[in-house]
Amino acid sequence: MRSDAGGTGRTGPTDRSGRGADGEATDDRPAVVAKRVDAGDADLSEITRLAEAAGYEVVGGLTQTRTEDAAFMFGEGKVAELRDLVRERDADCVVIDNDVGPYQTFNIGGELPEGVEVIDRFTLILEIFGQRANTRKAQLQVELAELRYELPRAEAKASLAKRDERPGFMGLGEYDESVERDIKRQISEIQDELESIAEKEQARREQRRDSGFDLVALAGYTNAGKSTLMRRLAAELDVDENEDRHPDLATTAESEDMLFTTLGTTTRRAEMEKRDVLLTDTVGFIADLPHWLVESFESTLDSVYRADLVLLVVDASEPVPEMREKLVTSHDTLYERNEAPIVTVFNKVDRLDPGELADKRAALSGLAPDPVAVSARTGAGVAELRDRVEAELPEWERERLMLPVSDDAMSLVSWIHDHAHVDEETYADEHVTLAFEAKPSIVSRARSKASELAPASST
């Protein structure tokens, strides 16, 4: 098989999205999806959904079960089938649901009709991320992931360029010795800017905790229904009044049946009985992500890692093997850095037949002990979830303060109402008595403020 044919026409991970310059969708590009597995049957359902989310029209699919071919990923005969399928369906792109090396990409492209490009799973994911990156932070994270993806491929590009084969292969233009240095410089600059953003976000988290808020993060596999659940849990919030204080608060959270609808973070105030909770929705997890891609979105995942509680949302309408795989993926992502307790939420239970939920609870008890079953769409189980959130958050302390009635004391009473749950407020003999529950830090501050009013005010 030849490996010296014309170029693949690649123009960079975010330029093949099927969208115009203004971000609006254009006609979907016809694409063929393909996947190789070492054993068993290859499943094209996920890569098809990913391709559709990126703006492609999937017009055909091809699978193979065999060990990896070093030169072509697939066997030579299967690559010939792929070529024929591309011609038959008039596709202009092949999306491969594998981690395809640069030389393999080059060789497969050489067997396809001229102008047909070859992209692998991770390049496709970067395309989707690029389309959804609407904030500076998200854009920086996408750019960082793209650069980390390109860096190990620079050597292959250099080798191909030196052989006068496809200058500009894989999107970086003609290779010279400055390419790797330029990529490393850009990575360093982006990391510095993301670190600055992360420091500001950490300060904002601490400000919120100091204001009496508990921080709860929604995590889980993409398309599990996190955004729909967030809308169900959230209280009404006038963002205009809070924009300067909390610039990431949003009145709406997208909830479409589409992978990676949420890329950045959206924070809303949750409606709870006692506690003030801010709920953050984040990018969905996905299986088989390489470490460089997860690390590129570390800043976004900090909203999960540094929460007071994580709600791990799972689509309970899927078969048990898929639920198990996605729970494992999610736990693997959270395992090393997560600091908070995790409550598993079985979502979409309205799609289950009678008895299915009990069977799935039993089958997944090792990965999901005592899950909360809900339907974000119908609202079933959401009240129980609110109760569970309040029960699982770090324990509050109880305090009772007696304050002299004065302007300063009334200001403190107002502050305690804003930052704690007041069980009792009584007035007698020119004193006000408050019994309340709050985070330990809030109780400590209330005591300190009370001691400034009257040294013997605590009883």
Side-chain angles (χ1 to χ4, degrees), residues 309-361:
L309 179 68
V310 175
L311 300 182
L312 179 54
V313 185
V314 184
D315 183 350
S317 69
E318 295 184 329
V320 167
E322 291 184 25
M323 292 177 67
R324 179 179 291 109
E325 178 183 351
K326 292 175 181 181
L327 278 165
V328 169
T329 297
S330 300
H331 281 294
D332 285 347
T333 305
L334 294 170
Y335 174 74
E336 290 188 3
R337 294 194 53 198
N338 188 57
E339 301 172 358
I342 298 173
V343 171
T344 303
V345 181
F346 280 3
N347 190 26
K348 306 185 185 181
V349 295
D350 55 299
R351 300 182 181 181
L352 300 182
D353 293 329
E356 274 192 281
L357 178 59
D359 292 342
K360 291 183 175 183
R361 281 181 182 271

Side-chain angles (χ1 to χ4, degrees), residues 170-407:
M170 297 186 71
L172 281 183
E174 295 212 21
Y175 184 88
D176 61 53
E177 293 181 358
S178 68
V179 170
E180 290 177 68
R181 291 195 302 272
D182 187 53
I183 292 175
K184 291 177 180 177
R185 176 188 57 77
Q186 292 180 69
I187 288 175
S188 178
E189 291 174 353
I190 291 172
Q191 286 175 324
D192 288 345
E193 188 169 352
L194 283 173
E195 185 175 342
S196 176
I197 293 173
E199 290 173 355
K200 293 176 182 177
E201 291 182 340
Q202 178 61 20
R204 189 182 304 137
R205 279 190 289 269
E206 293 310 313
Q207 177 191 7
R208 289 171 173 175
R209 287 192 173 103
D210 289 344
S211 298
F213 285 103
D214 293 296
L215 307 182
V216 177
L218 288 166
Y221 203 88
T222 184
N223 219 46
K226 298 187 303 301
S227 296
T228 303
L229 182 59
M230 182 181 192
R231 295 177 67 180
R232 179 68 67 174
L233 288 170
E236 290 301 319
L237 182 65
D238 188 343
V239 176
D240 292 338
E241 295 179 1
N242 296 275
E243 188 171 3
D244 293 336
R245 184 178 179 192
H246 304 307
D248 62 330
L249 294 179
T251 53
T252 60
E254 291 181 288
S255 53
E256 303 176 40
D257 186 22
M258 182 182 293
L259 299 181
F260 300 118
T261 299
T262 305
L263 178 58
T265 58
T266 300
T267 299
R268 294 184 69 185
R269 184 170 180 166
E271 188 175 13
M272 298 291 168
E273 182 180 351
K274 289 185 176 182
R275 304 179 73 145
D276 288 326
V277 170
L278 288 178
L279 188 64
T280 297
D281 187 17
T282 64
V283 63
F285 301 147
I286 189 167
D288 302 324
L289 288 184
H291 68 88
W292 55 265
L293 186 51
V294 175
E295 289 173 358
S296 297
F297 286 83
E298 183 177 313
S299 182
T300 289
L301 291 173
D302 270 348
S303 297
V304 178
Y305 295 144
R306 302 183 187 278
D308 298 309
L309 179 68
V310 175
L311 300 182
L312 179 54
V313 185
V314 184
D315 183 350
S317 69
E318 295 184 329
V320 167
E322 291 184 25
M323 292 177 67
R324 179 179 291 109
E325 178 183 351
K326 292 175 181 181
L327 278 165
V328 169
T329 297
S330 300
H331 281 294
D332 285 347
T333 305
L334 294 170
Y335 174 74
E336 290 188 3
R337 294 194 53 198
N338 188 57
E339 301 172 358
I342 298 173
V343 171
T344 303
V345 181
F346 280 3
N347 190 26
K348 306 185 185 181
V349 295
D350 55 299
R351 300 182 181 181
L352 300 182
D353 293 329
E356 274 192 281
L357 178 59
D359 292 342
K360 291 183 175 183
R361 281 181 182 271
L364 298 167
S365 59
L367 285 168
D370 195 19
V372 182
V374 306
S375 168
R377 186 180 68 85
T378 68
V382 172
E384 291 83 353
L385 178 58
R386 287 194 176 98
D387 292 341
R388 182 71 173 274
V389 167
E390 292 202 296
E392 295 286 347
L393 284 167
E395 289 188 8
W396 274 4
E397 289 185 9
R398 292 180 178 273
E399 178 64 310
R400 187 180 182 87
L401 295 176
M402 181 181 289
L403 310 171
V405 176
S406 65
D407 289 344

Side-chain angles (χ1 to χ4, degrees), residues 98-143:
N98 297 93
D99 182 7
V100 187
Y103 288 105
Q104 292 171 327
T105 303
F106 169 74
N107 290 335
I108 293 171
E111 293 299 314
L112 301 177
E114 187 170 355
V116 174
E117 59 184 333
V118 179
I119 63 175
D120 69 2
R121 172 186 180 85
F122 305 128
T123 308
L124 180 67
I125 291 171
L126 290 178
E127 283 194 18
I128 299 171
F129 283 172
Q131 295 167 15
R132 311 286 163 81
N134 296 321
T135 67
R136 176 61 177 167
K137 173 181 165 183
Q139 291 163 356
L140 286 170
Q141 290 177 127
V142 170
E143 188 175 351

Side-chain angles (χ1 to χ4, degrees), residues 16-66:
R16 304 180 304 278
S17 62
R19 296 175 184 270
D22 59 358
E24 293 298 319
T26 61
D27 291 339
D28 291 345
R29 295 184 54 200
V32 168
V33 295
K35 183 175 185 176
R36 182 201 59 79
V37 293
D38 292 330
D41 297 324
D43 183 1
L44 293 176
S45 59
E46 183 182 74
I47 195 64
T48 297
R49 295 198 68 199
L50 286 168
E52 290 170 349
Y56 293 96
E57 177 191 4
V58 176
V59 295
L62 177 147
T63 65
Q64 185 173 39
T65 301
R66 60 154 289 167

